């Protein structure tokens, strides 16, 4: 898990999802990096948790006033700091599902337990994280996904593979071009 204070970055470069346990074990407050001050964490009160399915929940946090807006640009995330299931401090990025037209609160919908899937199905599911601005201790990729990263960490093009992409156009457009140049067809790719 990354350490340090965490930094804001585009959704497409944060491919982490530790699951709901992170917020479920919290008290009534979660510490979240505010969009206007990415170097300092702010506390927002958890006012509602609603279970959507067996492994998906929606967490609603109150903003300082009923007319406050989060002010987070589209495609950006917030870094949440708290304790994981083992009691260790963890910093996890999440993209809110609310807009600035939703006054007084923001919501996070949390599921996609990628780490456990990689452990359970190591021959079928692998994860390689890439960050633009990684923390000091980091063993993943740095920058945007390159052709070399794709060749090293992705399965070769084949009819039975699927490449999943999520992020803003500055990440997705070059990645789509790299995949095309490496003979991955459009049917082998899915963009969120």
């Amino acid at each position: 898990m990354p350490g340090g204070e965490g930094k804001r970055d585009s959704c497409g470069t944060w491919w982490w999802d530790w699951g709901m346990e992170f917020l479920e074990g919290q008290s009534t407050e979660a510490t979240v990096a505010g969009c206007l001050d990415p170097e300092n964490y702010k506390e927002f009160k958890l006012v509602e948790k609603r279970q959507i399915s067996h492994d998906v929940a929606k967490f609603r946090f109150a903003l300082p006033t009923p007319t406050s807006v989060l002010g987070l640009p589209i495609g950006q995330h917030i870094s949440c700091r708290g304790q994981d299931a083992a009691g260790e401090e963890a910093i996890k990025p999440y993209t809110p599902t609310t807009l600035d037209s939703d006054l007084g609160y923001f919501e996070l919908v949390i599921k996609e337990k990628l780490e456990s899937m990689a452990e359970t199905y190591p021959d079928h599911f692998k994860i390689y994280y890439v960050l633009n601005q990684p923390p000091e201790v980091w063993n993943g990729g740095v920058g945007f996904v390159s052709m070399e990263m794709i060749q090293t960490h992705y399965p070769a093009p084949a009819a039975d593979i699927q490449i999943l992409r999520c992020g803003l156009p500055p990440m997705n457009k070059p990645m789509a071009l790299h995949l095309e140049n490496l003979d991955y067809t459009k049917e082998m790719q899915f963009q969120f």
Side-chain angles (χ1 to χ4, degrees):
M1 265 184 242
E5 290 297 308
K7 298 209 183 222
R8 289 180 48 230
D9 208 338
S10 69
C11 169
T13 58
W14 291 90
W15 287 31
W16 297 335
D17 188 351
W18 286 270
M20 293 184 298
E21 300 87 19
F22 174 69
L23 289 178
E24 286 176 343
Q26 298 301 306
S27 64
T28 57
E29 294 185 344
T31 306
V32 180
C35 63
L36 299 178
D37 188 0
E39 301 302 321
N40 296 300
Y41 286 86
K42 297 180 180 179
E43 291 188 358
F44 296 97
K45 184 176 182 181
L46 176 63
V47 294
E48 181 184 358
K49 175 192 168 195
R50 188 170 56 132
Q51 202 70 30
I52 297 175
S53 71
H54 75 284
D55 64 349
V56 179
K58 182 185 289 186
F59 297 84
R60 181 177 283 203
F61 293 90
L63 291 172
T65 72
T67 57
S68 294
V69 296
L70 191 58
L72 192 67
I74 292 174
Q76 295 292 306
H77 70 270
I78 55 177
S79 295
C80 299
R81 181 174 64 182
Q83 292 183 342
D84 63 16
E88 299 290 321
E89 181 178 270
I91 299 171
K92 302 176 184 180
Y94 294 104
T95 300
T97 57
T98 46
L99 302 171
D100 279 350
S101 57
D102 298 309
L103 303 179
Y105 68 94
F106 68 93
E107 293 177 337
L108 305 175
V109 176
I110 300 172
K111 179 176 180 172
E112 290 203 303
K113 298 179 180 180
L114 297 178
E115 297 289 340
S116 64
M117 288 177 66
E119 291 174 14
T120 304
Y121 308 103
D123 295 332
H124 301 288
F125 192 88
K126 298 187 187 325
I127 302 170
Y128 182 67
Y129 300 121
V130 180
L131 299 178
N132 269 354
Q133 299 176 351
E136 289 183 26
V137 178
W138 177 248
N139 60 1
V142 177
F144 288 108
V145 177
S146 67
M147 285 183 73
E148 292 78 19
M149 288 178 194
I150 293 170
Q151 290 174 311
T152 302
H153 299 285
Y154 284 40
D160 64 344
I161 64 104
Q162 186 79 57
I163 305 298
L164 308 178
R165 298 183 280 116
C166 174
L168 295 173
M171 191 267 324
N172 265 314
K173 285 183 180 179
M175 189 173 171
L177 183 60
H178 295 328
L179 289 167
E180 182 182 322
N181 289 335
L182 293 169
D183 296 324
Y184 292 86
T185 66
K186 291 186 179 187
E187 292 76 26
M188 295 176 198
Q189 303 178 49
F190 182 80
Q191 179 177 328
F192 293 90

